Amino acid sequence: MKRDGQNTSLWQHLKNYEPVQIAGLDSFYDVVIVGGGMTGVVTAFMLQQTGKQCLIVEAYNLGFGTTGGTTAHLNTMMDTPYSTITKNFGIEASRRIAQGASDVISFIKDQSEKFNIDCEFEYTSAFLFSQTSEETEQLQELYNASRDAGLALEYVNQIPISASFEKAIRIGGQGKFHPLKYLFAMAREYENLGGHIMINCKVDNAQQVDGEVHISTTEGEIRTKNIIYATHIPPGINLLHLRCAPWRSYALALKLENDAYPDGLVYDLKDPYYYYRTHVVDGEKYVIAGGEDHKTGEEENTDKPFLKLRAHAERIFKIKQVSHEWSSQYFESADGLPYIGILPGNGDNVYVATGFGGNGMIYSHMAAMELASKIELNESAFYNLFAPSRVKPVAAFDNFVDHNKDVVKHFLGKFFGSEKLEALAGIAPGEGRVVKFEGHSIAVSKDLHGKVYAVSSVCTHMGCHVSWNSTEASWDCPCHGARYSMSGRVLTGPATENLQTVELTSMIEAKH
């Protein structure tokens, strides 16, 4: 299965999902969901169950983005600690989120049983441990706040991995599963309810027309009453891009020399933290190790996080083989809670779900519950706790948007000499570099076969300059997380336009 990087995750041995229902562009839909990841598919399923006629529109294939690169932890202990949530939003907010997370795990279990989904769901426990006195104080604070939020947890004397620790706690009622097996099965059940899916269909823009939303796509125009952006971050330019920061996270799948595969979900208290779990794929056990997170575009050598993650794992496990290594992207909100609901400034029928942090498998389902409740009943499943309207307006934002609509500098059809540009960049196969050439900033890369690609280095979203991601062979924008292929094609929003292509000519062609 394809996803938004050249590395392969542990889940990608599956074939791409093939929709059965044929979507009609001349149909009018109650809800169009943009994005075929976990949020989009589960939201569509819940809405279709209520009798809404829904359509999922996906630019590539189902699970192409972060869903295909998750480590698939199902936990009630969120990345934003309950102490912070309580401080910022009150104890009732912590209790609602803790209960909501537990409900999500139960929902996944129930759907797996109801539809006989072989997604390898298991209930398990989570373990958090401290290794310094400062971390032990932090662990005690986490314990107190999580207990107050309603979690059942206890101090324990053992953890499932061979790591030294001062204190450790265990939380019951957690879970793990195969995310793509579950995603594909839920997509099939959604289609069985009469829902439609369009893959390889890119949304260019959406406009309000007489109370409807008219969506322009690469396959034609779609009309709908409501639109949901389940694209990890909404496309275009809006306030949420100034309130969400893009991050990259790294994962390894490890085969061990012994059989010391840990039971449960395990987390340390580093910043960023490391985390581990075991999963069985086709009868083979793997340890999934994750960590080394950094803001998108801010790590010059993206091979280094993999090396550091492996070195850290080698202190705990006897590693026989690293079978898979991959990275994925997530967005953190400004205040630690996701933005789920009406997208500010876009009308009351345009919805969004973003800012999940590292809890995408949990918050994707919470988003589905919230959005289904909003659209079907005009009620909030989480009492507006996640409402994007809590984002404060930015002074002169409209002028800011106008200024950034035309930030991309076009090359006006100018041709550049490929030999001179390649020599200037000095890159080997699999490398990329931004160079200044004849007054232009050009992103130059070379694939493993030696083919050279040259594109503008200016992100088409809001004009920041992209950085080369060597491990995923992509151009990543450090400002708002847009990502592009070597050829400049959009891999990850919020950008909707590809990078401007630089036309290359060779000296040989010029002589003729």
Side-chain angles (χ1 to χ4, degrees):
M1 196 208 80
K2 295 181 180 179
R3 55 179 294 266
D4 62 350
Q6 71 171 359
N7 288 316
T8 303
S9 77
L10 185 60
W11 322 119
Q12 285 178 251
H13 59 285
L14 301 180
K15 293 181 180 180
N16 283 341
Y17 182 90
E18 294 295 336
V20 176
Q21 297 281 3
I22 305 299
L25 289 175
D26 55 347
S27 300
F28 180 83
Y29 293 92
D30 294 311
V31 190
V32 168
I33 300 96
V34 184
M38 193 67 75
T39 304
V41 169
V42 178
T43 301
F45 170 79
M46 288 189 180
L47 283 166
Q48 194 73 28
Q49 277 190 316
T50 69
K52 302 294 184 186
Q53 185 59 53
C54 300
L55 169 67
I56 297 172
V57 180
E58 165 57 47
Y60 293 94
N61 50 265
L62 298 191
F64 179 80
T66 300
T67 298
T70 179
T71 52
H73 288 231
L74 298 173
N75 44 15
T76 57
M77 184 72 78
M78 316 306 282
D79 277 12
T80 301
Y82 288 109
S83 54
T84 300
I85 296 173
T86 297
K87 179 181 177 181
N88 293 341
F89 299 93
I91 184 61
E92 189 59 32
S94 286
R95 290 170 179 162
R96 292 192 188 282
I97 291 172
Q99 184 60 55
S102 180
D103 290 344
V104 166
I105 297 172
S106 296
F107 176 87
I108 293 172
K109 170 186 173 292
D110 291 345
Q111 303 312 300
S112 300
E113 292 179 349
K114 179 179 180 180
F115 298 118
N116 295 315
I117 301 173
D118 182 22
C119 63
E120 296 132 25
F121 172 85
E122 289 183 26
Y123 271 122
T124 188
S125 294
F127 297 82
L128 280 76
F129 64 93
S130 64
Q131 296 179 302
T132 66
S133 58
E134 182 179 354
E135 289 178 1
T136 298
E137 290 181 10
Q138 181 185 350
L139 186 66
Q140 182 63 49
E141 183 180 7
L142 286 170
Y143 176 91
N144 293 337
S146 301
R147 180 193 57 198
D148 292 343
L151 298 190
L153 66 170
E154 62 181 349
Y155 276 99
V156 292
N157 296 322
Q158 291 183 321
I159 59 175
I161 62 173
S162 299
S164 61
F165 66 96
E166 284 192 1
K167 296 285 186 179
I169 59 176
R170 184 186 73 85
I171 309 102
Q174 314 299 287
K176 59 183 182 177
F177 70 149
H178 190 302
L180 292 184
K181 286 185 177 181
Y182 174 82
L183 180 82
F184 291 175
M186 291 298 286
R188 189 66 71 206
E189 295 304 324
Y190 159 73
E191 286 197 279
N192 289 341
L193 292 170
H196 292 163
I197 300 173
M198 291 183 68
I199 59 174
N200 298 312
C201 179
K202 179 176 172 289
V203 170
D204 294 322
N205 61 69
Q207 294 181 333
Q208 296 277 357
V209 180
D210 297 329
E212 299 178 356
V213 182
H214 291 195
I215 307 169
S216 176
T217 78
T218 51
E219 299 299 314
E221 186 174 272
I222 302 169
R223 295 166 51 242
T224 182
K225 183 177 180 180
N226 303 282
I227 183 171
I228 296 173
Y229 288 114
T231 51
H232 217 44
I233 190 75
I237 299 175
N238 57 70
L239 286 173
L240 296 188
H241 299 136
L242 306 182
R243 296 293 183 266
C244 288
W247 285 73
R248 300 295 298 174
S249 187
Y250 295 80
L252 303 174
L254 311 172
K255 299 287 293 178
L256 305 185
E257 291 182 355
N258 50 24
D259 197 39
Y261 292 89
D263 291 326
L265 315 176
V266 187
Y267 312 86
D268 66 21
L269 291 178
K270 307 303 179 189
D271 187 17
Y273 64 88
Y274 295 94
Y275 46 98
Y276 312 93
R277 79 172 184 89
T278 297
H279 201 88
V280 179
V281 177
D282 295 333
E284 294 287 329
K285 285 185 179 180
Y286 299 87
V287 172
I288 304 172
E292 291 298 332
D293 301 17
H294 64 78
K295 285 189 175 180
T296 298
E298 292 191 359
E299 173 59 66
E300 185 174 346
N301 178 8
T302 49
D303 291 318
K304 186 167 68 174
F306 284 125
L307 297 175
K308 293 174 67 177
L309 181 57
R310 175 165 183 166
H312 186 85
E314 284 175 339
R315 294 195 285 270
I316 300 172
F317 305 103
K318 293 182 178 180
I319 299 174
K320 178 180 180 180
Q321 177 191 7
V322 177
S323 63
H324 302 73
E325 59 178 34
W326 71 96
S327 66
S328 61
Q329 185 154 290
Y330 63 90
F331 288 80
E332 284 197 347
S333 69
D335 58 18
L337 293 188
Y339 301 115
I340 303 168
I342 294 173
L343 181 61
N346 287 263
D348 60 3
N349 56 352
V350 179
Y351 299 84
V352 67
T354 187
F356 294 170
N359 300 114
M361 294 298 98
I362 294 293
Y363 277 136
S364 60
H365 285 71
M366 285 193 188
M369 296 171 185
E370 177 74 2
L371 294 170
S373 181
K374 286 274 191 184
I375 292 173
E376 171 63 10
L377 303 173
N378 196 28
E379 296 178 356
S380 172
F382 291 93
Y383 296 83
N384 292 315
L385 184 60
F386 304 138
S389 58
R390 73 182 189 273
V391 175
K392 303 302 182 185
V394 177
F397 181 73
D398 289 341
N399 290 336
F400 173 75
V401 171
D402 289 339
H403 172 73
N404 280 280
K405 281 181 178 176
D406 195 30
V407 293
V408 182
K409 305 297 182 184
H410 295 282
F411 289 89
L412 303 176
K414 183 173 181 179
F415 287 81
F416 294 83
S418 59
E419 289 88 349
K420 186 176 179 181
L421 184 59
E422 183 179 354
L424 179 63
I427 55 175
E431 289 186 346
R433 185 171 296 136
V434 175
V435 300
K436 296 290 184 181
F437 187 55
E438 296 187 12
H440 296 274
S441 180
I442 302 177
V444 185
S445 59
K446 184 185 293 185
D447 67 20
L448 297 179
H449 303 289
K451 182 178 178 179
V452 176
Y453 298 86
V455 293
S456 168
S457 69
V458 180
C459 176
T460 61
H461 177 232
M462 289 172 66
C464 297
H465 283 267
V466 297
S467 301
W468 177 245
N469 182 331
S470 58
T471 187
E472 297 292 4
S474 63
W475 293 105
D476 298 356
C477 179
C479 293
H480 305 105
R483 298 179 59 243
Y484 307 85
S485 69
M486 281 186 171
S487 63
R489 187 179 182 188
V490 174
L491 294 174
T492 304
T496 58
E497 299 293 331
N498 298 334
L499 291 176
Q500 180 75 18
T501 301
V502 176
E503 298 293 339
L504 298 178
T505 60
S506 69
M507 294 176 63
I508 296 174
E509 291 172 343
K511 289 180 181 178
H512 294 281

